[in-house]
Amino acid sequence: MNNNYIRIDNVDINSPYDSKPVDIEVAKRNRSRLIIPLFLILIFMIIMSVYTSRQLKNVSVSNITEVGEDRIHSVSAQLENYLYTTKSVTWVTADTVEFMTRNGSSSKQILDYLTEESERQAAQFDENYTGIYGYIKGEYLDGVGWEPPADYKPQERDWYITAKEANGDTAIVPPYVDAQTGNVIISISRMLKNGRDVISMDVRLNYIQSLMDELKLKGKGYGFIVDDTGLIVAHKDEDKKGTLINDEAHGEDFFHEIKRVGNGNFTYIRDGVRNIVFVNEIMDHWYVVIDVSEKELYAETKSQMFVNMIICTVIFVMIAIFYYFGYKNEKNYARRMEKMKMEERKQEYETKMLKIEKDSADQANRAKSVFLANMSHEIRTPMNAIIGMDEMILRESDDENIKRYAKDIQSAGKTLLSIINDILDLSKIESGRMELVQVRYEFSSILNDIVNMTMNKAKDKGLKYNLEVDPNIPSIMFGDEIRIRQIILNLVNNAIKYTAEGSVSMSVSFDKVYRKLVVKVTDTGRGIKKDDLDRLFNSFQRVDQTANRNIEGTGLGLNITKQLAEMMGGDVTVESEYGKGSTFTAELVQQIVDVTPIGDYTERLKESMDSKVEFGPTLLAPNAKILVVDDNEMNLMVISELLKVTKIKVTKALSGEECIDILREDSFDVILLDQMMPGMSGTDTLKVIKDENLADATPIIALTADAIVGAKEIYLKEGFTDYLSKPIMYEELESTLLRYIDSEL
Ligand code: ADP
C-alpha cells in the first residue's frame, strides 16, 4: 500500500508532501516557450532590416540618379548659356564687321570697332573674354592690340581653319594654350560671307573650369567636359585640360560609352571599384560628365544601413531582455502560484485531516456519551427499585437497626445518583451537547430548594448555616433554573462537605448593571492550598487528597459548575486560605422578567420554618385510581408500594398495549406512563390514547430514567401532562400527584 495515501471512508487523500518527479517535459516546454518566439522575432528583424536596407539602397540610388542628373543639367545649362552668349557676341561682331567691310570702312575703322567691342564685352560680361580679333581684308586686326610675330600666319591658325570649316556658322575652336598669355583658351570664330575674312573671340576657360567645382555629387566624385573629339575642355584636375580623354586611364571604351549614353548614366568598373558616370551632351557635342565611385557615393547609405542594423540588433537585444525578464517574472509568478497552490493543498489536507480527527473524536465522544447515557439509564432503573424498596423498609420497619441500615442505603443511593448525574453532565459538556434550557423561574423557589436540601445537612454536622439574601433581587427571572440550582447546590454542598466546624454562609445579591446573580458561599473549612487553586476546576481533580481521603467525591462538581456558569456568561471563582476557609463566588448572567424585589427572604424562611410540621404523608386519596405502566415489574411494585400510604387504588400494566386495553375498559385519575418500553414506547402509547380519546381528561405523567437536559420540556411538548424522573423519590411522586389528585388530609 502506498504510504502517501490514507484511506478513510473510501476516500483517498493525496498527501501534498508527496515529492513529485521533476517534470522534464514541462521544463523543455517552458524553454521552447522562450526560444521559439525569440527566434521568430529574430527572423522577422533580419527580414525587416534586409528589406529596409534594400529599400534604402533603392531610394538612395534613385535619389542619387535624380540628384546626379539635376546637377549635370544645371551645370550644362550654365555652360550652354555661357557658350551661347559668347557665340552670339561673335555672331553679332562678325555681322557688324561684314557690314562695315561692305560699306567700305577702312581697316583702321574696323580695328577701332574691334577694340571698342573687346573692351565692352570684357566690361559687360566677364574678364574671361580676352578679346576680339580677325583676319579682315588680308590683314590681322586685334581688338586688344596684340602684335603678332612676323611669321604669324592667321590662315594657318586653328581659329581661322575651324571657322572656314564651319562654313559661315559659329564654331568653337578646341582649347589651346594662348601664345600671348599662356592661358588655356577656346576661340569662337565665324567666317564672313566673303569666305575669306574671319572674326574670332577668345574666351579663357577659367569660368568653365570654375564650373568643375560644381560637378560633384554630394561633394563626391569629379567632373569634366570633353568635346566630340575626346579633348578635355575642363577637368577637375586642371593639368588634364587640353589633353585627350583617351590618354586618361579610362581608355577608349570609356569615351565611347560617354558618347553612346549621351544623356543619362552608366556604370563601369575601375580598379575593381564600381563607378557611376552621369553624362549630358550639350551644344557642339560637348559632354559634361560627373564620375563618382559607388563606394564613395553609397558610403552614407551604407553607414545608414549599418546604423539600421545596429538599431535592429539593439531592439532585438532589448526585446530579448524584456522577454527574458517577462518570462522569468512569469516563471517566478507561476512558481509563487504553485507554492500558493501547494500551501492551499497543504491546508486542505490539514483541514481534511483535522476534520477526520475531529470526526473520529466526535464519533468516539458520541459513542462515549451514548454509552454513558445507556449506562445511566441502566443504572437508574435498578436504582429505582433499590431506593423505592429502601423507602418501604424505612417506612414499614420498626426495627431501629434496620432503619439505620436503610438510611445508609438511601444516602449511598443518592450519592451514586449524583455521581451518575455528574458523569452524564460532563460527557454532555465535553461533546458540546450541553444546552441551557431557559425558562421563567422564581428565584425564591430555587433558594427554597437549596435551603431544604442543605440546611439540615449542615446542622447535622454541627455547622452554623448563615443565609443573607439581598431583598432587591428581582423576583422572576429567565434562565436555566435547574442548572442554577445545580451550581449553587454544588458550592453549598462542597462547603458543608469540606468544613468540619464553624459555619457555612451563603450570600446572594444581584448586580443590576451587568444583570448578574452573584452567589457567594463562604465556609470556615479546611481551605485550599495556593498551589492547588489552579487545578481545582479541572475534571476528576481532587486536591489535598490525604486530608480529603474520607470525604466522598469524584472531582467533577467544580468543573461542571464552572463550565455551566461560563455557558451562562458568568464564572465561578475562588479565594481561599489554607486551614481557614474558602469563598466560592458564582456570577451568573440572568434576564429579568419581573423587577419586583424578592423582599426579606430570610424573614419569610424563618416564619415558614417555625410553622413547619413534622414530616409525614400529605396525600391520602382512597377514592382515587391511578394506572401505572412500566415494563419492569419491580418498578411497578415500587410505585404501588410507595403509594400504599396514600390508599390510592393502583392498577398496573406491563406494556403500552396492555395500558390501552385497560383504558378501553376503565378510567383513571392519573396515568403514570413509562417512556422506555419494548414494543410501544410511552410516546407511542400516548399517541394512541390521544387518537382514540381514551383518556381525554386524565393527566398522563411521563416516567423516565433519561436524565437528559430539557427532558421535561420535551415530554410536555409531546403531550404529557407532567414528568417524573427515575429513580422516583417519594417526595417528588407525592408532590406531583398532589397537583392532580385531591388529598383528604
Ligand atoms: P469533589 O467531588 O471532590 O467534591 P469538586 O469538583 O466539587 O469535587 O471539588 C474539587 C476539589 O476541590 C475537592 O476535591 C476539594 O479538594 C476541593 N474543594 C472544593 N470545595 C471546597 C471547599 N469548600 N473547601 C475546601 N476544598 C474544597
Side-chain angles (χ1 to χ4, degrees):
M1 189 179 155
N2 186 342
N3 285 337
N4 293 320
Y5 288 89
I6 299 165
R7 183 174 289 280
I8 294 151
D9 295 340
N10 292 330
V11 177
D12 285 341
I13 298 173
N14 199 351
S15 165
Y17 305 105
D18 291 357
S19 55
K20 285 188 188 166
V22 180
D23 197 340
I24 299 164
E25 277 308 309
V26 170
K28 265 189 188 168
R29 224 177 20 242
N30 282 347
R31 253 201 310 279
S32 59
R33 267 184 58 213
L34 171 72
I35 291 166
I36 291 174
L38 276 183
F39 181 71
L40 291 176
I41 291 172
L42 181 65
I43 299 280
F44 175 75
M45 299 287 289
I46 290 172
I47 293 172
M48 272 294 289
S49 63
V50 168
Y51 176 77
T52 48
S53 300
R54 287 182 78 118
Q55 283 299 104
L56 197 67
K57 198 179 168 192
N58 286 345
V59 168
S60 68
V61 166
S62 73
N63 206 17
I64 277 166
T65 311
E66 213 172 286
V67 170
E69 278 169 8
D70 267 6
R71 176 109 312 260
I72 208 155
H73 281 125
S74 128
V75 174
S76 300
Q78 286 181 57
L79 185 60
E80 264 186 320
N81 192 35
Y82 186 73
L83 292 176
Y84 181 77
T85 310
T86 313
K87 275 185 170 182
S88 303
V89 170
T90 310
W91 189 280
V92 170
T93 308
D95 270 0
T96 310
V97 170
E98 189 156 44
F99 177 77
M100 286 174 81
T101 321
R102 245 190 277 136
N103 284 343
S105 298
S106 66
S107 294
K108 170 90 178 66
Q109 280 172 319
I110 291 170
L111 181 63
D112 286 348
Y113 166 68
L114 290 180
T115 306
E116 195 184 313
E117 196 61 22
S118 293
E119 282 168 5
R120 206 155 55 86
Q121 292 308 330
Q124 194 176 340
F125 296 104
D126 188 318
E127 74 282 2
N128 287 316
Y129 293 95
T130 53
I132 304 168
Y133 54 92
Y135 183 66
I136 316 292
K137 290 194 252 172
E139 201 179 341
Y140 177 77
L141 303 175
D142 196 308
V144 287
W146 179 65
E147 289 284 341
D151 57 347
Y152 185 77
K153 289 188 178 133
Q155 296 95 314
E156 288 170 12
R157 304 305 298 180
D158 283 344
W159 56 271
Y160 187 88
I161 297 163
T162 309
K164 201 173 174 185
E165 281 168 4
N167 213 5
D169 229 344
T170 316
I172 295 175
V173 183
Y176 60 94
V177 178
D178 180 27
Q180 205 176 321
T181 61
N183 283 329
V184 178
I185 53 170
I186 53 166
S187 304
I188 291 125
S189 318
R190 187 181 160 215
M191 181 159 268
L192 304 189
K193 280 188 184 130
N194 58 24
R196 185 195 62 214
D197 298 343
V198 170
I199 286 295
S200 183
M201 183 164 84
D202 280 357
V203 176
R204 273 203 292 261
L205 282 181
N206 293 12
Y207 171 72
I208 297 173
Q209 183 62 36
S210 75
L211 289 177
M212 291 306 100
D213 292 341
E214 291 182 42
L215 273 185
K216 280 183 173 179
L217 266 189
K218 299 182 171 184
K220 312 253 161 38
Y222 69 97
F224 60 91
I225 299 165
V226 64
D227 74 3
D228 196 25
T229 61
L231 188 93
I232 295 173
V233 178
H235 196 286
K236 170 205 77 167
D237 191 355
E238 274 202 72
D239 293 347
K240 298 228 161 68
K241 246 177 358 192
T243 63
L244 279 173
I245 193 161
N246 288 349
D247 299 339
E248 273 249 325
H250 310 112
E252 219 168 306
D253 292 345
F254 179 62
F255 183 53
H256 281 313
E257 199 57 19
I258 289 173
K259 282 172 83 169
R260 190 188 62 77
V261 171
N263 279 313
N265 63 70
F266 66 92
T267 55
Y268 77 101
I269 293 171
R270 182 173 49 193
D271 304 335
V273 180
R274 184 190 279 272
N275 280 33
I276 178 159
V277 180
F278 296 91
V279 188
N280 190 31
E281 189 182 349
I282 58 168
M283 53 206 250
D284 292 281
H285 304 296
W286 280 21
Y287 298 95
V288 181
V289 179
I290 299 176
D291 184 347
V292 58
S293 96
E294 256 187 12
K295 198 176 159 195
E296 244 184 300
L297 202 58
Y298 296 132
E300 209 175 290
T301 313
K302 271 197 179 140
S303 68
Q304 190 69 49
M305 287 195 298
F306 183 69
V307 169
N308 255 12
M309 297 283 280
I310 299 265
I311 290 172
C312 279
T313 312
V314 168
I315 289 174
F316 175 74
V317 169
M318 274 165 72
I319 288 174
I321 289 171
F322 281 131
Y323 201 82
Y324 176 72
F325 280 112
Y327 167 79
K328 243 185 139 180
N329 271 354
E330 201 183 309
K331 229 166 115 184
N332 284 347
Y333 177 73
R335 221 176 270 150
R336 273 206 305 279
M337 287 301 287
E338 187 56 39
K339 219 170 146 191
M340 268 166 70
K341 267 191 207 150
M342 184 74 181
E343 279 296 314
E344 253 170 46
R345 279 208 294 274
K346 204 167 124 188
Q347 270 179 12
E348 222 170 85
Y349 172 78
E350 278 166 3
T351 315
K352 269 185 190 163
M353 288 307 290
L354 279 177
K355 194 176 174 305
I356 288 162
E357 277 165 21
K358 190 181 171 296
D359 284 353
S360 65
D362 283 355
Q363 224 171 333
N365 239 338
R366 262 199 303 280
K368 191 176 88 180
S369 298
V370 169
F371 170 76
L372 287 172
N374 287 342
M375 279 301 289
S376 128
H377 185 267
E378 294 307 315
I379 295 168
R380 275 163 186 273
T381 310
M383 282 295 290
N384 194 38
I386 293 166
I387 289 175
M389 290 306 178
D390 189 57
E391 174 78 27
M392 295 317 300
I393 294 168
L394 270 172
R395 276 193 210 168
E396 291 179 8
S397 176
D398 294 328
D399 188 321
E400 279 307 312
N401 268 341
I402 291 179
K403 273 193 164 180
R404 215 177 55 242
Y405 301 148
K407 261 210 151 19
D408 287 347
I409 293 173
Q410 194 182 47
S411 139
K414 283 185 178 169
T415 308
L416 184 57
L417 268 181
S418 83
I419 291 172
I420 293 166
N421 285 341
D422 279 355
I423 291 177
L424 210 61
D425 281 349
L426 190 74
S427 80
K428 271 183 212 141
I429 290 172
E430 283 185 350
S431 63
R433 288 188 295 133
M434 171 66 87
E435 279 170 24
L436 295 177
V437 180
Q438 313 240 66
V439 291
R440 277 165 61 108
Y441 68 89
E442 280 181 51
F443 185 61
S444 56
S445 120
I446 290 182
L447 280 178
N448 284 344
D449 290 348
I450 288 162
V451 171
N452 280 336
M453 291 159 101
T454 57
M455 191 184 250
N456 284 338
K457 261 196 228 168
K459 286 198 171 147
D460 288 351
K461 273 187 89 175
L463 302 173
K464 234 180 131 208
Y465 191 92
N466 301 322
L467 184 63
E468 196 188 318
V469 180
D470 181 351
N472 293 316
I473 296 172
S475 57
I476 300 178
M477 289 186 273
F478 186 77
D480 191 331
E481 180 186 8
I482 294 168
R483 296 303 178 185
I484 291 167
R485 188 186 293 121
Q486 186 179 341
I487 291 167
I488 303 172
L489 205 55
N490 186 266
L491 298 181
V492 179
N493 274 336
N494 272 356
I496 297 169
K497 213 159 65 167
Y498 297 104
T499 305
E501 56 187 29
S503 63
V504 170
S505 314
M506 176 167 73
S507 93
V508 194
S509 60
F510 192 81
D511 181 339
K512 281 197 171 136
V513 179
Y514 296 105
R515 307 205 159 194
K516 269 182 189 166
L517 192 61
V518 183
V519 183
K520 270 183 197 292
V521 179
T522 307
D523 64 59
T524 56
R526 64 186 66 229
I528 301 150
K529 288 178 188 162
K530 256 203 167 73
D531 293 348
D532 292 334
L533 284 174
D534 285 345
R535 51 193 189 93
L536 203 61
F537 294 101
N538 294 348
S539 58
F540 296 106
Q541 279 287 344
R542 303 201 71 211
V543 299
D544 210 3
Q545 294 274 32
T546 18
N548 292 342
R549 207 175 38 242
N550 297 321
I551 301 171
E552 282 174 353
T554 54
L556 291 176
L558 279 182
N559 178 271
I560 295 167
T561 302
K562 192 174 173 80
Q563 297 208 52
L564 286 174
E566 282 171 357
M567 282 175 78
M568 290 179 195
D571 200 4
V572 176
T573 50
V574 60
E575 285 166 48
S576 182
E577 199 176 326
Y578 190 58
K580 289 211 168 152
S582 326
T583 298
F584 283 84
T585 308
E587 293 186 331
L588 312 165
V589 178
Q590 298 291 291
Q591 290 172 47
I592 302 167
V593 176
D594 187 348
V595 284
T596 315
I598 192 170
D600 196 343
Y601 175 80
T602 37
E603 189 56 35
R604 282 207 307 275
L605 184 71
K606 233 171 112 197
E607 278 168 20
S608 78
M609 297 280 264
D610 290 347
S611 63
K612 204 171 183 179
V613 285
E614 271 296 292
F615 169 77
T618 48
L619 176 60
L620 185 70
N623 296 322
K625 280 163 68 187
I626 71 167
L627 173 62
V628 189
V629 190
D630 198 317
D631 60 303
N632 187 312
E633 269 185 81
M634 187 73 88
N635 283 346
L636 289 177
M637 194 170 82
V638 167
I639 291 172
S640 73
E641 285 299 315
L642 283 176
L643 291 176
K644 238 193 216 162
V645 284
T646 63
K647 301 257 187 329
I648 295 171
K649 286 185 204 78
V650 178
T651 306
K652 296 176 221 164
L654 270 165
S655 67
E657 291 85 350
E658 199 184 333
C659 160
I660 288 159
D661 287 345
I662 294 169
L663 283 177
R664 285 198 177 115
E665 304 294 321
D666 208 347
S667 65
F668 297 88
D669 295 299
V670 169
I671 301 165
L672 295 176
L673 182 53
D674 184 35
Q675 180 55 29
M676 279 260 253
M677 291 187 292
M680 283 176 88
S681 70
T683 313
D684 297 338
T685 313
L686 178 76
K687 201 168 175 299
V688 177
I689 296 169
K690 299 252 163 183
D691 288 352
E692 296 187 17
N693 301 325
L694 294 175
D696 283 347
T698 315
I700 302 173
I701 296 165
L703 293 181
T704 172
D706 293 334
I708 56 162
V709 190
K712 188 174 174 181
E713 281 68 24
I714 293 169
Y715 291 120
L716 295 188
K717 226 180 183 177
E718 282 180 2
F720 286 98
T721 321
D722 216 326
Y723 160 92
L724 266 174
S725 76
K726 290 180 189 174
I728 291 163
M729 303 292 168
Y730 180 70
E731 292 87 348
E732 258 180 82
L733 175 64
E734 192 184 50
S735 62
T736 307
L737 287 179
L738 268 171
R739 284 179 218 151
Y740 311 103
I741 296 170
D742 293 330
S743 175
E744 289 179 12
L745 274 176

